[in-house]
Amino acid sequence: MSHVVVSGANGFVGRVLCRALLEAGHRVTGLVRRGGGCFDGVTEWIDASTDYSGIAHKWPAGLNADCVVHLAARVHVMHDTAADSDAAFRATNVDGTLRLAAAARQHGVSRFVFVSSIKAVAEGDDGQALRENDTPRPEDAYGRSKRAAEDALVRLSGETGLEIVIVRPPLVYGPQVRANFLRLMDAIWRGVPMPLGGANARRSMVYVGNLADALVRCAVDPRAAGQCFHVADSDAPTVAELVRALGRHLGKPARLLPVPAAWLRVAGRLMGRSAQVDRLIGSLQVDTSHIRDVLGWQPPFSADEGLAATADWYRSIH
């Protein structure tokens, strides 16, 4: 079995991935900024440096890993306070990623799995599900940094022979989820009326258990070397369907108002929030045929199972 290093091992996706790796019989070392929070059985490697500064010289003696799965990142935020947002994202998501990848290769690691984002390609699908070879058009600093990191890793692979695997998930949800998905469940739980009854565009998402399963395959399957994969659930619900399903699993019927999507876009323009509205009600479907064809991968959980597990967790803390 393989020895896999997981950066961000004590995070939302990291804990689920580490558990999946351990259950598959692999050894796991978690590269984290602070100790604690890793899944039982993970060996912690603590590095509190900024953007993996000097990581090559801090590689633990005796750590002979086969693969690094890089989850840690500066994540997308709605209200970024950095003076230069692009520079801040690039420092972590490009420069830090390259330092870790180069150090891994220097210390004998043969594969580097980079968890990118569908935002590295686009924010919407323009009527055609997004494929891996689509022309990239990222729209924010986060998406641009992820795309730049992908390109830099491909160049590093050509120079060093390090096997690069790129994985682009859309929105990830599941127990312990935060940010907008958690706020959506909060609103449903409180019975807040939402003007989303007419939001019929479909949005691909991925349950954290499905993403972890795909990442395990990408870490160990020889066929994944040099590939880029889009990973998502089999189903892409409309926003209205998503809210209704969450309400059903939460036991709190969603209060949806049938406001036409065109009206919401007008309201978004008037409030200076067109981008946020478009990302909420616009179509974003992801084509996952490539990972299915190359690795024979199928999501082990349905979207409804993932939403049920997420709602069960939410109810357990309320």
Side-chain angles (χ1 to χ4, degrees), residues 106-131:
Q106 180 181 332
H107 288 275
V109 175
S110 59
R111 179 170 297 187
F112 191 90
V113 179
F114 177 59
V115 182
S116 182
S117 168
I118 201 62
K119 287 176 171 287
V121 183
E123 297 282 356
D125 60 30
D126 290 339
Q128 187 82 26
L130 297 175
R131 298 178 61 88

Side-chain angles (χ1 to χ4, degrees), residues 23-299:
E23 289 176 348
H26 304 292
R27 295 174 59 199
V28 182
T29 294
L31 175 56
V32 296
R33 289 183 58 81
R34 302 176 189 84
C38 285
F39 195 80
D40 289 346
V42 174
T43 300
E44 284 189 349
W45 168 16
I46 301 173
D47 175 55
S49 65
T50 301
D51 302 328
Y52 299 115
S53 175
I55 192 70
H57 303 293
K58 302 172 187 176
W59 199 270
L63 175 55
N64 299 309
D66 303 290
C67 175
V68 171
V69 179
H70 186 38
L71 290 166
R74 179 180 173 87
V75 299
H76 174 71
V77 292
M78 292 301 294
H79 303 289
D80 192 2
T81 58
D84 186 336
S85 186
D86 277 278
F89 276 103
R90 184 176 183 88
T92 298
N93 296 349
V94 184
D95 301 339
T97 296
L98 280 180
R99 289 190 192 103
L100 180 57
R105 186 56 177 158
Q106 180 181 332
H107 288 275
V109 175
S110 59
R111 179 170 297 187
F112 191 90
V113 179
F114 177 59
V115 182
S116 182
S117 168
I118 201 62
K119 287 176 171 287
V121 183
E123 297 282 356
D125 60 30
D126 290 339
Q128 187 82 26
L130 297 175
R131 298 178 61 88
E132 289 82 356
N133 59 356
D134 284 346
T135 301
R137 41 190 176 85
E139 296 182 15
D140 63 10
Y142 173 73
R144 288 189 291 270
S145 71
K146 285 293 192 176
R147 181 65 196 195
E150 292 180 10
D151 294 340
L153 286 170
V154 170
R155 290 193 296 270
L156 180 67
S157 176
E159 296 166 0
T160 67
L162 178 65
E163 294 176 358
I164 299 297
V165 185
I166 295 168
V167 178
R168 295 181 185 142
L171 183 149
V172 184
Y173 68 96
Q176 309 292 329
V177 70
R178 294 291 183 263
N180 288 340
F181 204 94
L182 179 59
R183 286 191 281 272
L184 176 61
M185 288 194 290
D186 286 338
I188 296 170
W189 186 260
R190 297 195 309 269
V192 176
M194 289 176 281
L196 299 174
N200 295 318
R202 297 197 174 274
R203 305 284 298 186
S204 289
M205 305 183 300
V206 61
Y207 175 52
V208 66
N210 288 335
L211 177 57
D213 186 78
L215 290 174
V216 172
R217 294 287 294 275
C218 290
V220 302
D221 193 318
R223 297 171 296 179
Q227 298 290 335
C228 176
F229 297 121
H230 288 177
V231 175
D233 293 343
S234 296
D235 306 317
T238 68
V239 175
E241 289 171 347
L242 169 63
V243 175
R244 291 190 184 99
L246 281 171
R248 172 166 49 86
H249 288 301
L250 288 169
K252 302 277 189 176
R255 301 179 63 187
L256 288 174
L257 305 178
V259 178
W263 292 13
L264 293 176
R265 288 192 169 91
V266 170
R269 286 196 295 272
L270 292 174
M271 294 185 297
R273 295 185 176 180
S274 291
Q276 291 93 325
V277 171
D278 287 343
R279 289 168 188 169
L280 176 64
I281 64 173
S283 178
L284 177 60
Q285 296 188 71
V286 173
D287 187 327
T288 60
S289 60
H290 186 52
I291 191 171
R292 296 168 190 262
D293 292 343
V294 174
L295 302 185
W297 180 78
Q298 297 286 340

